[in-house]
Amino acid sequence: MDNTVTWFEVATGDPEGAQRFYGGLFGWTFAAGDGGGPMDYRMIGYAGGGEPAGGLFNTKGEFPDHAVFHVQVADVEETCARTEALGGKVITKVVGDGAGTDFAYLQDTSGSLFGIFHRR
C-alpha cells in the first residue's frame, strides 16, 4: 500500500556479524536475495511473517552502517520533488534500475535518512 512503511534495511560492512546479532536477538532468518548481480543483499524473515519484510545489505565498507525504513510510494520522482519542496534533501535516486524497482534515499528536515521505493 502506498505511503506506508513496507520495508526496512540493515546496511553493514559486517553482514555475518549482523546476522548473528539480529538472529540471536530476534530470531530473524536470512536468505540470499533473488536480484543477482554484484550486490550482496540478504532477505530478512521472522517467525509469523509470510514474506521477507526487510533486507540486510552488505555495504562492503562503501557506505556508513545504518538501519533505515522504506516507504512504498506511487511515484519516486514526484515524491523526491515534494521532499525538496518541503525542505528535505534527495541523497540518492535511482529510477529505472533494470530490476523493476525505482528507489531513493532521502533526508528529512532534521537530517534523518529514510528510503522510498516503487515497484513497477
Side-chain angles (χ1 to χ4, degrees):
M1 182 180 337
D2 288 342
N3 301 322
T4 60
V5 175
T6 58
W7 193 257
F8 70 92
E9 178 177 85
V10 176
T12 178
D14 180 16
E16 284 73 25
Q19 282 189 201
R20 282 190 302 277
F21 177 79
Y22 289 107
L25 184 63
F26 298 124
W28 292 356
T29 59
F30 303 84
D34 60 1
M39 188 184 324
D40 178 2
Y41 201 90
R42 304 165 193 195
M43 300 295 115
I44 298 173
Y46 49 87
E51 296 181 18
L56 178 70
F57 171 45
N58 182 358
T59 66
K60 302 176 184 171
E62 297 173 7
F63 304 98
D65 290 1
H66 63 272
V68 65
F69 67 88
H70 295 265
V71 177
Q72 181 175 323
V73 298
D75 186 310
V76 167
E77 293 271 14
E78 190 268 335
T79 304
C80 287
R82 282 192 299 127
T83 296
E84 291 175 327
L86 291 167
K89 294 181 182 176
V90 176
I91 304 301
T92 304
K93 177 173 61 173
V94 176
V95 175
D97 70 349
T101 302
D102 299 336
F103 66 92
Y105 287 105
L106 308 176
Q107 209 171 44
D108 68 17
T109 55
S110 69
S112 295
L113 182 73
F114 65 99
I116 60 170
F117 72 97
H118 175 78
R119 289 189 184 106
R120 288 181 264 123

